[in-house]
Amino acid sequence: MKILKFTGILIWICCFFSTSYTYGQGNPATADTSQSAFEFIKDDFIAASLDSLAGLKYFEGFECPTDETLKNVFGFTPGFVPVYADSVYYNRLRKLDAASPISLTYNQYVKDYIELYAMRKRGLTERVMGLAQIYFPMFEEHLDRFNMPLELKYLAIVESALNPVAKSRVGATGLWQFMYGTGKAYNLKVTSLVDDRRDPLKSTIAACEHMNDLYRMYGDWLLVLAAYNSGAGNVNKAIRRSGGKMDFWQIRPFLPLETRGYVPAFIAVNYVMSYAAEHNLRPVQPLFHHFEIDTVIVKDVLTFSQISNMLNIPVEEIEFLNPAYKSRIIPATRDNTYVLRLQKKNIAGFVNNEAQLYAYRSQAEIEKEQVLAMMKTVTQAEYHKVKKGESLGLIARKYQCSVNDLKKWNKLRSTNIQIGQRLIVRPESVQQVEYAQAKPKPAPAPKPTTQAEAATEKNISENLAAVAPADSAKPEASTPVRKENKYHRVARGETLGRIAGQYNTSIAELQRLNNLKGSNIQAGARLIVGTTELTESAGQAVADNYQKPKEKNTVFKYYTVQQGDTLWKIANQHEGVTVEDIKRLNNITNEKQLKPGQKIKVTVVS
């Protein structure tokens, strides 16, 4: 019995060390097969890039071609998924390897990714095959110009699945997945409106230059691919940790996890794209091919909506062909032009109507601009930097406002201020102005003048024709003339200096007109601020007009009530307007009747 137990223990120990030796000392290409299987089950970045095509608008409404549209050379039934033995994969890759300067090895890691592209993600692979008909001719042209292996075109499938707006979780962008810093090193500029990393042509040239630089470092294309993915620093560290080996499969265990699957995925894409028909894979046919695309130079700012409306091209098509423009705006100038890609059939329309395109605005855009121009008058805030010896009162007099105004605008609890402190002396304001124009009288009447002129009584004599009866004639030269005082109701916080500036007069003149000995005035006081010469008939007409503000031809200046507004605050914002005027014009008996968004009359324009 003891002998049997001892024998069992001995067998268990031998099995344990045998297993340890297999995983620790086996061939580097196949040693961590279980680890590879675990990595494969996890949805890595390569599978995620394929999935990004599922939402690409370019493919909306398109399905895979039927047997009638594409010849089925192997006679497969639709949906059939062929499966081949390892020996078949091995022999096919040997043929590809013999014709390429890149070492295309077959092993379990490569097989895992062949199954990913040819079996589990078949539908997305067929979409990639469709996009390849647009991008591969351009890739091959520039790879050939740089004297590089044409098989490197497949790297863009591993990187982005040929999605031109693909963006990784770490910020790599575009067909060739450039990081911001690497892209900048190869002259790929990024601004708020344009990202050259998403430009198919510019990024392809940059990718060729980058891979050429890496090849000069390593002299091995598989190491170049590893460095392209993880950076030369990580590859150099892996080489050191492997004892100086310069073979990808020998340094693979020392590379970042993502890069370990990167090269096998590249080899698998080479295989699947070369033997697509053998795997019953047929491309989703694109809307257009590479040879159907052309370019024009844009010399002025242009939006995709302008191009779409003028040339009758779907915005989605323009966006797909020009992915570098992030906000659908081409910020071109005569000194800084940009390239626009369109189908060849639309190029003539652009060239023939280029000037009109730059000038074109849709009706909706025109109306929006007009409304904004009419409804908003914006005044920027003005600041004053406190100097030595200045007080709040001195600053208030300088800018013709009150101390209370300065305290309110700057949220000050007291009059204490510090040297160098920045004070708001003119607050930012946005007023909404609207004119309610009634039907015109049979007799012609002049249009209202500017807001400032309409708000004061200085121009009453110029508008007599608008308020006089239709059959009234001009006053004769001998018509009696009388002078009439102009008044201003003092609002809380107003100063004599501020009122003087408002009516273009001086403090001394206001003191003379109102018999004031000092500059102290009380809120609610009625001050004479000037005089107006009127004929007797004109004076009567004006009086009649102001007594009847609701007659058909009356034009009012309106204000939209904002949150926190009071009648006093609204009156203070409009020249020559008092709280009583607003109450009378709007039949307001209680200030609590005001509601945000309500439009009220603030003065009579004509």
Side-chain angles (χ1 to χ4, degrees):
M1 192 67 168
K2 288 181 180 179
I3 294 172
L4 287 174
K5 283 184 179 179
F6 176 80
T7 305
I9 293 169
L10 186 61
I11 292 170
W12 180 85
I13 292 171
C14 291
C15 289
F16 175 81
F17 282 107
S18 174
T19 305
S20 300
Y21 178 83
T22 301
Y23 284 104
Q25 303 295 327
N27 191 327
T30 56
D32 54 346
T33 305
S34 61
Q35 178 65 18
S36 171
F38 175 77
E39 292 170 20
F40 174 69
I41 293 171
K42 183 180 177 182
D43 190 18
D44 61 11
F45 81 103
I46 295 169
S49 68
L50 278 170
D51 288 337
S52 73
L53 291 184
L56 197 62
K57 288 185 178 180
Y58 173 79
F59 288 105
E60 286 183 359
F62 290 86
E63 300 296 336
C64 293
T66 61
D67 286 333
E68 289 74 30
T69 57
L70 285 177
K71 185 179 179 182
N72 186 347
V73 293
F74 293 98
F76 294 129
T77 58
F80 174 71
V81 181
V83 178
Y84 297 100
D86 285 347
S87 59
V88 175
Y89 294 140
Y90 175 79
N91 288 323
R92 288 174 179 173
L93 270 170
R94 277 191 65 186
K95 290 180 182 178
L96 295 177
D97 180 61
S100 173
I102 302 174
S103 177
L104 302 177
T105 307
Y106 178 72
N107 54 35
Q108 183 61 44
Y109 309 118
V110 174
K111 181 181 179 180
D112 288 344
Y113 281 105
I114 289 174
E115 291 176 351
L116 173 71
Y117 285 106
M119 297 176 189
R120 293 210 298 278
K121 300 286 185 181
R122 289 176 59 82
L124 297 176
T125 300
E126 288 174 326
R127 291 189 172 199
V128 169
M129 292 166 65
L131 289 170
Q133 298 180 43
I134 296 175
Y135 295 119
F136 275 12
M138 179 182 64
F139 293 171
E140 290 171 350
E141 177 186 347
H142 291 284
L143 287 167
D144 179 66
R145 182 164 70 88
F146 281 90
N147 196 28
M148 297 166 68
L150 298 186
E151 291 84 359
L152 290 172
K153 65 188 177 186
Y154 298 123
L155 184 64
I157 295 178
V158 181
E159 286 285 356
S160 65
L162 298 185
N163 180 357
V165 294
K167 189 168 186 176
S168 74
R169 63 182 182 274
V170 294
T173 301
L175 289 168
W176 296 95
Q177 291 290 282
F178 273 98
M179 294 293 289
Y180 178 85
T182 310
K184 193 173 181 181
Y186 289 93
N187 203 32
L188 296 179
K189 299 175 183 177
V190 180
T191 68
S192 300
L193 296 177
V194 182
D195 190 342
D196 285 345
R197 296 175 298 171
R198 289 164 48 163
D199 185 294
L201 177 61
K202 290 182 180 179
S203 64
T204 297
I205 294 171
C208 290
E209 292 173 345
H210 185 33
M211 285 189 281
N212 251 342
D213 289 344
L214 293 173
Y215 187 75
R216 281 192 286 269
M217 291 174 62
Y218 300 110
D220 180 276
W221 286 112
L222 293 189
L223 292 180
V224 166
L225 298 180
Y228 189 94
N229 175 252
S230 65
N234 282 321
V235 172
N236 293 342
K237 284 185 280 187
I239 291 171
R240 289 190 185 96
R241 287 168 181 162
S242 69
K245 302 290 192 301
M246 294 295 290
D247 176 83
F248 170 79
W249 299 107
Q250 291 180 308
I251 71 167
R252 182 181 179 276
F254 306 101
L255 289 169
L257 185 64
E258 183 178 287
T259 310
R260 295 179 205 172
Y262 188 80
V263 169
F266 169 79
I267 296 172
V269 169
N270 270 265
Y271 168 83
V272 171
M273 295 295 284
S274 301
Y275 290 95
E278 285 81 353
H279 285 270
N280 199 20
L281 293 169
R282 282 168 279 175
V284 176
Q285 289 302 298
L287 288 170
F288 36 78
H289 295 76
H290 175 73
F291 59 84
E292 295 176 290
I293 301 169
D294 203 350
T295 61
V296 288
I297 301 299
V298 179
K299 304 168 187 172
D300 202 351
V301 177
L302 206 56
T303 66
F304 286 5
S305 63
Q306 287 172 268
I307 302 167
S308 175
N309 291 333
M310 282 284 285
L311 303 183
N312 196 27
I313 306 171
V315 170
E316 289 76 17
E317 180 180 319
I318 304 169
E319 197 170 25
F320 174 78
L321 288 171
N322 301 274
Y325 304 114
K326 299 192 288 187
S327 302
R328 297 183 174 185
I329 298 171
I330 307 173
T333 63
R334 293 211 170 266
D335 298 326
N336 186 27
T337 59
Y338 282 88
V339 172
L340 173 69
R341 291 178 179 83
L342 298 172
Q343 288 195 66
K344 285 183 179 178
K345 64 181 183 181
N346 297 314
I347 294 295
F350 182 96
V351 173
N352 293 335
N353 301 279
E354 187 172 2
Q356 293 89 328
L357 266 167
Y358 297 140
Y360 175 78
R361 298 288 185 279
S362 69
Q363 187 59 34
E365 290 172 324
I366 293 170
E367 290 175 359
K368 183 179 178 181
E369 289 169 4
Q370 289 175 341
V371 169
L372 289 174
M374 181 183 72
M375 296 293 288
K376 291 188 176 181
T377 302
V378 181
T379 304
Q380 295 295 330
E382 216 177 291
Y383 292 87
H384 173 83
K385 191 172 183 179
V386 179
K387 300 179 181 64
K388 186 176 180 180
E390 285 186 326
S391 65
L392 215 55
L394 184 67
I395 296 169
R397 286 195 293 276
K398 180 177 180 179
Y399 292 97
Q400 296 182 355
C401 61
S402 69
V403 171
N404 286 335
D405 284 339
L406 292 178
K407 289 174 67 177
K408 179 180 69 175
W409 297 335
N410 295 278
K411 298 180 181 179
L412 300 175
R413 294 183 180 179
S414 69
T415 58
N416 295 330
I417 52 177
Q418 304 294 324
I419 297 172
Q421 184 177 351
R422 290 177 81 240
L423 296 177
I424 298 172
V425 292
R426 292 278 189 277
E428 181 181 359
S429 62
V430 179
Q431 294 183 357
Q432 293 185 324
V433 181
E434 189 175 281
Y435 292 99
Q437 179 66 57
K439 292 181 181 179
K441 282 187 177 183
K447 292 182 180 179
T449 53
T450 62
Q451 296 177 25
E453 291 170 329
T456 66
E457 295 182 13
K458 291 181 181 179
N459 301 296
I460 289 178
S461 59
E462 298 175 9
N463 294 308
L464 288 178
V467 295
D471 57 351
S472 65
K474 280 188 176 182
E476 298 294 332
S478 59
T479 305
V481 177
R482 66 185 177 85
K483 289 186 178 182
E484 192 172 272
N485 289 331
K486 289 165 55 179
Y487 291 92
H488 173 82
R489 183 82 64 180
V490 179
R492 189 168 59 185
E494 282 190 319
T495 64
L496 213 57
R498 185 174 180 181
I499 296 170
Q502 187 175 336
Y503 291 95
N504 197 26
T505 186
S506 65
I507 295 175
E509 180 64 13
L510 290 180
Q511 288 173 331
R512 186 187 67 77
L513 289 172
N514 295 277
N515 296 319
L516 297 174
K517 294 181 180 179
S519 58
N520 293 331
I521 51 175
Q522 301 295 322
R526 199 158 173 259
L527 296 180
I528 301 171
V529 292
T531 58
T532 303
E533 288 187 357
L534 298 173
T535 63
E536 290 294 339
S537 58
Q540 186 59 45
V542 172
D544 290 343
N545 183 58
Y546 275 88
Q547 288 167 7
K548 301 175 182 179
K550 293 186 180 179
E551 290 191 0
K552 289 184 180 179
N553 285 328
T554 303
V555 179
F556 300 101
K557 180 179 179 182
Y558 284 80
Y559 175 80
T560 302
V561 179
Q562 307 296 317
Q563 187 73 34
D565 272 347
T566 63
L567 287 178
W568 174 84
K569 187 175 179 181
I570 296 169
N572 200 36
Q573 291 179 30
H574 297 83
E575 187 177 325
V577 176
T578 66
V579 171
E580 294 304 319
D581 290 338
I582 298 174
K583 284 185 175 180
R584 176 171 54 79
L585 289 172
N586 297 277
N587 295 321
I588 295 174
T589 56
N590 186 347
E591 189 167 352
K592 292 183 179 178
Q593 291 176 252
L594 290 180
K595 295 180 180 178
Q598 177 184 355
K599 289 183 180 179
I600 61 172
K601 301 166 188 170
V602 291
T603 188
V604 178
V605 177
S606 65

